[in-house]
Amino acid sequence: MKLHEYQSKKLLAFVGIPIPKGKVISKAELINHFFDDFSGSVLLKAQVLSGGRGKTGGIRLAKTRIEAEKIASSLFASNMFRNPINKILMEELVDFEEGYLVGIYINQKKGVIELRGSSSIKLWKNNKNLPEFLPELISVEIDPFIGVQDFIIRELAVSIGLNRQFWGEFVDIIKKMWEIFKKYDATKIEINPLAITKDQKFVSLGVKIDIDDNALYRQSEIEDMFDYSAIDKQENDAKKLGLSYVKLDGEIGCISNGQGLTFATIDMIEQYGGQLSGYINLGSCASALMVAEGLRVFNEDPRTKIVLINIFGGLTSCEQISEGIISQMQLSSFVKPVIVRFAGNHMEVGLKRLEETGIQTA
């Protein structure tokens, strides 16, 4: 789960990491209320869950109130990376010359957590656009049981050429980043750039935080930040219903229960030349409601031409699953072919009920 920039900066501010003055607006008219809170020029940053906003006009400089309102109106009326712009971060323009990329990441290939940083680069000032920033990254591993130690942070500071006078504040910022990383089950927390202002202070200008989806059950504060407008209708509906849904580009919808059976079914479909429009894993404790809602998701997907349901009745009762299938087929205008395969708990009863209502079984 990716957080918007304003959400990420809120987490940074909560632990005391310096961020620029900013205000989140949801309509252009609010510019009039807040523009005078900033000294002169402001940056208007479209809040979409994608990188590259600066190159596509998602980050704009406004020097006057009228210009800011025009830019905000234009952004709200447009889409970026096929996503609507529902919020804009209105932020003070920070004059600086030195900026560093710093971040904590999970390196999936190595199976380790890494602290990374880059040497400084001269960045934009005033009305110049930010150039593409692709620095050489220096990585230091973090032992999750020990945490990020001061000497590791100083080692990175030396490697990226940070002046010694900033080491103390730099250590403090990295340790607070680690605090966020642990507390919220993050997979990435990145500040780019971590700038040094004219009064020799750090400020976090660009921030990205990704959270592990599998940990959201214990992160209610973060789960409430999820932006449902950033995903399409089928994915949106599935997520609200708590279904594990993955959308693909084919025409066969697959509903199954349990990770092993789901992927075995996917492999067999692919082996015989089929292409999936998506798959839903109901989990080991599937219910009638879950399979009914899964059918509804595929029914509303125009690419799905047929649905295969493959259920193993262990903790799940095949009879209960059949009730969900029949109720959805009868209550909705479901016209797509459905093929059902059951095995296990109450299989005979479930298959008999389906056959009586004319649903094809295998």
Side-chain angles (χ1 to χ4, degrees):
M1 172 181 167
K2 296 179 184 294
L3 299 186
H4 285 293
E5 183 181 5
Y6 77 92
Q7 295 169 329
S8 300
K9 285 182 173 176
K10 181 179 178 181
L11 296 184
L12 262 62
F14 184 75
V15 297
I17 298 176
I19 62 172
K21 181 198 294 184
K23 194 72 180 179
V24 180
I25 61 172
S26 55
K27 53 185 179 180
E29 292 78 9
L30 292 174
I31 293 286
N32 287 324
H33 296 285
F34 302 117
F35 190 84
D36 290 339
D37 295 342
F38 299 87
S39 55
S41 301
V42 296
L43 283 177
L44 299 174
K45 298 182 172 183
Q47 296 302 285
V48 291
L49 297 175
S50 181
R53 290 174 300 162
K55 297 178 185 177
T56 55
I59 300 177
R60 307 275 293 277
L61 175 67
K63 297 181 179 180
T64 66
R65 184 200 310 267
I66 294 175
E67 185 181 9
E69 191 167 353
K70 286 181 179 178
I71 291 172
S73 297
S74 173
L75 289 174
F76 281 129
S78 61
N79 288 342
M80 184 163 294
F81 307 108
R82 294 183 295 181
N83 293 324
I85 299 172
N86 298 320
K87 288 184 171 63
I88 292 174
L89 177 59
M90 186 177 176
E91 198 169 74
E92 68 175 327
L93 185 65
V94 177
D95 191 10
F96 71 100
E97 291 186 350
E98 300 294 330
Y100 302 82
L101 182 151
V102 293
I104 301 172
Y105 312 80
I106 293 179
N107 186 321
Q108 299 285 359
K109 290 184 178 179
K110 293 183 179 180
V112 298
I113 301 173
E114 293 180 339
L115 170 64
R116 299 176 191 167
S118 75
S119 55
S120 178
I121 185 170
K122 299 288 184 181
L123 296 174
W124 54 261
K125 293 200 296 182
N126 298 329
N127 62 347
K128 295 182 181 179
N129 290 326
L130 183 67
E132 187 173 359
F133 183 20
L134 296 172
E136 180 182 354
L137 292 177
I138 296 151
S139 300
V140 184
E141 290 187 14
I142 300 174
D143 187 326
F145 296 104
I146 299 175
V148 59
Q149 301 295 299
D150 290 15
F151 76 91
I152 291 177
I153 303 172
R154 288 195 293 269
E155 179 183 337
L156 179 67
V158 171
S159 299
I160 65 177
L162 182 64
N163 193 299
R164 190 185 184 98
Q165 73 180 93
F166 301 111
W167 286 8
E169 190 178 357
F170 186 70
V171 168
D172 182 61
I173 288 173
I174 299 299
K175 293 182 84 168
K176 288 175 177 175
M177 290 172 66
W178 175 248
E179 181 183 333
I180 294 172
F181 191 88
K182 287 193 304 176
K183 181 178 179 180
Y184 296 108
D185 293 297
T187 57
K188 176 175 83 173
I189 174 169
E190 176 184 285
I191 302 175
N192 180 24
L194 177 62
I196 299 175
T197 62
K198 285 188 173 181
D199 58 356
Q200 304 297 287
K201 297 291 184 182
F202 280 117
V203 62
S204 307
L205 297 188
V207 184
K208 294 179 182 177
I209 298 179
D210 293 351
I211 305 296
D212 185 355
D213 289 344
N214 296 312
L216 289 178
Y217 71 93
R218 62 185 181 194
Q219 297 291 352
S220 57
E221 178 185 350
I222 298 297
E223 192 171 20
D224 290 341
M225 295 180 178
F226 190 88
D227 183 2
Y228 287 99
S229 69
I231 58 178
D232 69 19
K233 186 179 186 304
Q234 282 74 45
E235 291 174 301
N236 199 340
D237 289 346
K239 187 152 188 83
K240 287 180 179 177
L241 294 164
L243 297 175
S244 176
Y245 171 58
V246 176
K247 191 166 187 175
L248 300 169
D249 298 322
E251 57 184 17
I252 302 172
C254 175
I255 300 175
S256 193
N257 64 320
Q259 200 81 319
L261 182 60
T262 299
F263 283 115
T265 307
I266 292 168
D267 286 346
M268 291 180 71
I269 290 171
E270 296 281 346
Q271 181 181 349
Y272 283 91
Q275 297 294 322
L276 288 158
S277 63
Y279 64 87
I280 293 175
N281 176 8
L282 301 177
S284 57
C285 297
S287 66
L289 176 61
M290 291 171 70
V291 73
E293 294 296 346
L295 275 171
R296 184 167 69 84
V297 168
F298 282 127
N299 190 37
E300 295 175 359
D301 181 8
R303 295 177 304 176
T304 300
K305 307 302 180 188
I306 187 169
V307 180
L308 171 64
I309 301 174
N310 188 10
I311 299 294
F312 172 71
L315 297 174
T316 298
S317 164
C318 293
E319 180 181 7
Q320 186 182 17
I321 296 298
S322 70
E323 292 173 1
I325 296 170
I326 293 167
S327 65
Q328 183 64 27
M329 299 283 282
Q330 292 176 343
L331 293 174
S332 67
S333 55
F334 202 99
V335 296
K336 299 175 182 179
V338 175
I339 300 174
V340 182
R341 182 256 183 181
F342 284 156
N345 186 14
H346 291 182
M347 172 185 71
E348 295 83 0
V349 179
L351 288 174
K352 184 178 180 181
R353 292 199 61 193
L354 293 175
E355 289 167 354
E356 288 173 350
T357 56
I359 297 172
Q360 187 173 346
T361 62

